[in-house]
Amino acid sequence: ERLRMGARHLERSLDGGARRLGDLAATVRASGPRLSGGEFRVLDEQGREPGFAVAGARADERLELLLELAREDGEAVELARNLGGDLTLVRRLRSPSGETGFLVGRASGDEIWRRLAPVIGSAVWVLFIATIGFVGFGAWLLRRRVVSPLALLAAGTRRIAEGDLRARIAEHGPAELEELARGFN
């Protein structure tokens, strides 16, 4: 989600003053990963960063596949793929000057897990505490509704078995136990 929010923030630069992809690329290079939610770069239709004429500045092979998918799907497609543990987001762009290209954002898998670890830890603690509460309440309810009435029924039947025919068994608890106590009485 941080990548999507960062991409939307950077795309607004095209509306707010950046006229060309090169201008957006400069803005992206100036803003760090903390500001934009990931590492972003701008690529033109050929997969090169605007402003770099170096032959080796093309996108890597795995990213080239995502760019091709984005070219086929149209204007504002978002693709998220796991590339070597990284989460990659590709959005198609059109600058006010008419240039088309892509905004590519990446967040490393380590960064994602570092951010998720406290949430997962909290969820585990909440689940543990809820389990303890559920088990404790279940044990209390079982003892109150079943075990205690059965113990009274057992004590009453023991007294009757010992010869105390005036012994009475309390008629409370679940309906079945009340009926059984009435039968003994």
Side-chain angles (χ1 to χ4, degrees), residues 97-111:
S97 66
E99 295 174 294
T100 57
F102 304 96
L103 181 63
V104 179
R106 282 194 179 175
S108 73
D110 294 336
E111 176 69 16

Side-chain angles (χ1 to χ4, degrees), residues 5 13 17 44 48 53 56 77 92 97 111 127 150-151 165 173 184:
M5 288 172 49
S13 297
D44 63 12
R48 292 192 176 104
V77 69
R92 191 154 172 93
S97 66
E111 176 69 16
L127 184 60
L150 275 177
L165 298 178
F184 272 105

Side-chain angles (χ1 to χ4, degrees), residues 1-142:
E1 188 59 32
R2 285 180 52 90
L3 276 178
R4 286 190 186 111
M5 288 172 49
R8 279 187 236 118
H9 171 73
L10 290 170
E11 283 177 337
R12 281 191 223 112
S13 297
L14 286 174
D15 298 333
R19 303 282 307 149
R20 299 176 318 116
L21 288 180
D23 299 337
L24 180 61
T27 302
V28 167
R29 284 192 292 274
S31 66
R34 275 187 95 56
L35 176 66
S36 57
E39 294 177 17
F40 281 90
R41 61 187 195 167
V42 177
L43 302 176
D44 63 12
E45 277 293 327
Q46 289 74 40
R48 292 192 176 104
E49 291 188 70
F52 289 99
V54 181
R58 285 190 53 78
D60 64 10
E61 189 176 308
R62 293 176 293 184
L63 183 56
E64 194 63 47
L65 174 65
L66 288 179
L67 294 177
E68 189 58 39
L69 289 172
R71 279 186 199 100
E72 292 171 6
D73 284 344
E75 283 296 312
V77 69
E78 291 183 19
L79 300 170
R81 296 283 191 263
N82 191 344
L83 301 178
D86 294 346
L87 183 65
T88 303
L89 175 81
V90 177
R91 294 185 69 140
R92 191 154 172 93
L93 297 173
R94 180 177 297 280
S95 71
S97 66
E99 295 174 294
T100 57
F102 304 96
L103 181 63
V104 179
R106 282 194 179 175
S108 73
D110 294 336
E111 176 69 16
I112 292 169
W113 281 112
R114 189 183 64 73
R115 289 182 180 274
L116 284 178
V119 174
I120 292 171
S122 297
V124 166
W125 274 108
V126 166
L127 184 60
F128 175 73
I129 290 169
T131 301
I132 296 295
F134 182 74
V135 167
F137 178 72
W140 173 80
L141 190 61
L142 183 66

